[in-house]
Every structure is written in structure tokens, then in C-alpha cells.
Amino acid sequence: MDRTESLPAQTLPPGVGATDPGSVLLPGHDVPLGRYTTVRRLLPQRQRRMVGAWCFVDHFGPDDVAQRPGMEVPPHPHTGLQTVTWLLDGEILHRDSLGNVQPIRPGQLNVMTSGRGIAHSERSPLVHPPLMHGVQLWVALPDPARAGDPGFAHHAELPRWRDGDLDLTLLVGAFGGERSPAVAHTPLLGAQLEARGPAPATLRLRPDFEYGLLAMSGSAEVDGVALAPGALLYLGAGRTALTLRAAPGSRLLLLGGVPFDEPLVMWWNFVGRSHEEVAAAREDWMAGRRFGTVADDAAPPLPAPALPTTRLKARDRSGGLRG
């Protein structure tokens, strides 16, 4: 069984309960996405696989795409998850097998619920802004939502407010007395924090949530840990408050949720519970079953890679093997 490394004893900062396992800085690693885009993958990692039900975090850019095609990800499948797309710069055109064709621009949110199966593509339009910068995240769906109908929602308007020197935008969940219109199937939080001044900011948190903080641009400091762009700081659970400093103009993404206790098998674009479930999804995709055809996209679908020669095993949220 894989285990996370034990953390040294530490003095707990104000607002942190005794159940907090400590902070873990996750620098991420580069992964090619399509032909022209490289992302920094922050989750899953060996040290930490999930934050609440957030099971996958990719941060891309800022990239100069003025003379390049930008994002080019042809039709591909998903099961057992929601995709959450948030842009700081640029434009991406979403197409899916439900017939949706929807551009997303900065300040807007796309949420696609795969349920038992959906296919989509993501491309920069032919004429697109010169910069591309954003995040795509996956949320693991619990039983029985993961076997439900697929769906897609575009949210052009989201709750926004100012708290001291922070501008907040609520992507998912409830926070600061506001609630996002995005549908969530487990208690969850996603919020952008944009620093407007140098003063430290304190946010009230739920002690039953675990949290992570991603620096998308600029710099920040939390609990004496410096956070550079493209790094994710896992903050643990048991916190009632979070105090941070950020350079003016910095944009951070606060993720949180109740720890997700269902073991997962994550392979390629599928989130399941067993080797057999994932193998069946792969077989259906390659046979042209279950996932449908992506609207208005004539590109050949991405072929699934070969399954590994060893059996896929379920892992818990900390990376331990189950079964």
C-alpha cells in the first residue's frame, strides 16, 4: 500500500484545529494536452490525490497563442466526473455529444457532468485572443450521480463581492453568504481570490472541509509558505480560518470540500470504482457505443490508450490502495 509521507510535528497556526494534518506544497508537473498546449498537473499526485471531491487540477498558461492555434483537444470521452473550466485569459469553444456548442470567456464558468458517459472537444476558435490562461478541474461524482444522465451548463454570471483587499468570485458551492448556480453533488467549494492591496486577508472556513490553494498568477504566502504561480498548497482539514498575504493583482483559486471517501479508479478520461468498469468504458468508446458523437466537430476522436498489463486498483483520497 502506498502511503503519504509523515509530516513533522508543528505549531498549529491560528484557526487550525488539531485534526489538520499540515500543509503540503504540490509543485505539479508538465503534461502535454493535445498538440499545442502543455498544462501543469497539480492533482492527482502521490502526496495528495484529492481535495474534497476535486480529483484533478490542470493549470495552463499564461501562453502567447497570437501566432499559434491555441488549445486543440479533439473529441474524447468522460465517465464518473464533472469537468469545471475557468479562464483568466483567452477563449475556448466547447462542443459535446449532447449537441451543446458553447464558447467560454474569462469570468464565465463551464460545468459538464459526464454521468455514465459523454464526449466533448475543446478548441480555441480560429480567431482568438493572444493569451490563453486558465484551469480545468475534475470533480469525482458520488454514487448514484456517477451513473446518471450527462449534462452541461454554462454560467455567464457568478456571485462576486469584495472583502477588504480581496475580490472574490464564487465558482462552485457556498461561501461568504453567497451560493453559486453551478450544480454540485457533494459539499464543495471553488472560489477565485484576487488581491487588490497588500494587507493580509482572513477568510472563514468550514472545519469539516479540507482545502487547497492554487496560485494562478502573482504570489502569495500562507502559514509561512510562499506560493509561486502554478503551485498548489494542500491545507488539510480542521481549519476555521485562513490568513494569507498576496501581491496586488495576484489571482488564487481556493478549492475545498468534505473529504471524499469513495475509493476511485482513475485512468485516462474515466473515473470509476473498478478495473472492470473502466475497461468497459474504454471498450465502449473504441466501439463507438455509449458516448455519442460530438456536435459540429468532424475531427477523428481520440483513441484510448491500451490498458496497463496489471490490474487497475482503486485508491482512496490519500493514495492508499483499496481492494
Side-chain angles (χ1 to χ4, degrees), residues 6-311:
S6 60
L7 295 168
Q10 61 178 358
T11 302
L12 297 175
V16 179
T19 60
D20 188 345
S23 300
V24 179
L25 186 63
L26 304 172
H29 59 281
D30 289 347
V31 176
L33 182 68
R35 293 182 59 188
Y36 303 102
T37 304
T38 297
V39 301
R40 282 174 294 281
R41 185 147 299 161
L42 285 312
L43 288 179
Q45 294 195 37
R46 183 180 181 277
Q47 301 98 313
R48 172 57 44 183
R49 296 188 64 81
M50 302 180 73
V51 177
W54 301 102
C55 62
F56 185 95
V57 176
D58 275 355
H59 174 237
F60 52 90
D63 292 329
D64 183 350
V65 295
Q67 305 300 321
R68 297 165 54 202
M71 185 170 288
E72 285 288 322
V73 183
H76 58 281
H78 288 293
T79 60
L81 58 90
Q82 288 178 302
T83 63
V84 178
T85 305
W86 176 251
L87 292 182
L88 283 70
D89 296 289
E91 181 177 344
I92 296 173
L93 186 59
H94 163 96
R95 299 178 175 94
D96 65 40
S97 54
L98 300 178
N100 296 294
V101 179
Q102 176 64 59
I104 179 174
R105 302 178 178 92
Q108 303 174 348
L109 187 74
N110 276 0
V111 179
M112 186 183 74
T113 302
S114 71
R116 60 182 174 271
I118 196 171
H120 74 144
S121 65
E122 299 158 295
R123 303 181 186 277
S124 298
L126 185 61
V127 179
H128 53 263
L131 288 179
M132 186 172 66
H133 186 193
V135 292
Q136 186 172 84
L137 313 107
W138 292 1
V139 179
L141 290 173
D143 287 328
R146 69 188 188 90
D149 293 337
F152 173 79
H154 173 76
H155 301 287
E157 299 294 333
L158 295 165
R160 305 173 193 275
W161 70 99
R162 177 165 289 190
D163 184 353
D165 278 347
L166 282 182
D167 284 343
L168 292 94
T169 304
L170 183 58
L171 281 60
V172 179
F175 193 60
E178 301 286 346
R179 181 171 292 277
S180 167
V183 172
H185 295 271
T186 56
L188 207 62
L189 171 66
Q192 177 178 280
L193 318 175
E194 184 167 359
R196 292 301 186 187
T202 299
L203 302 171
R204 297 185 63 182
L205 303 181
R206 287 179 50 166
D208 60 328
F209 273 31
E210 58 183 352
Y211 290 93
L213 188 67
L214 168 64
M216 298 183 292
S217 66
S219 59
E221 182 179 303
V222 180
D223 296 347
V225 178
L227 201 56
L232 175 68
L233 182 64
Y234 175 71
L235 297 164
R239 292 176 180 261
T240 59
L242 173 68
T243 299
L244 61 90
R245 291 180 179 270
S250 299
R251 289 179 287 187
L252 315 171
L253 185 64
L254 179 64
L255 301 174
V258 171
F260 192 88
D261 288 330
E262 298 179 33
L264 302 179
V265 175
M266 291 179 58
W267 179 82
W268 196 44
N269 296 313
F270 306 130
V271 175
R273 300 297 186 274
S274 68
H275 176 96
E276 289 77 13
E277 183 182 331
V278 169
R282 180 193 182 277
E283 182 178 346
D284 285 348
W285 173 249
M286 296 301 290
R289 299 188 297 260
R290 190 196 313 194
F291 297 95
T293 301
V294 173
D296 195 29
D297 194 322
L302 279 177
L307 283 166
T309 56
T310 57
R311 180 180 175 82

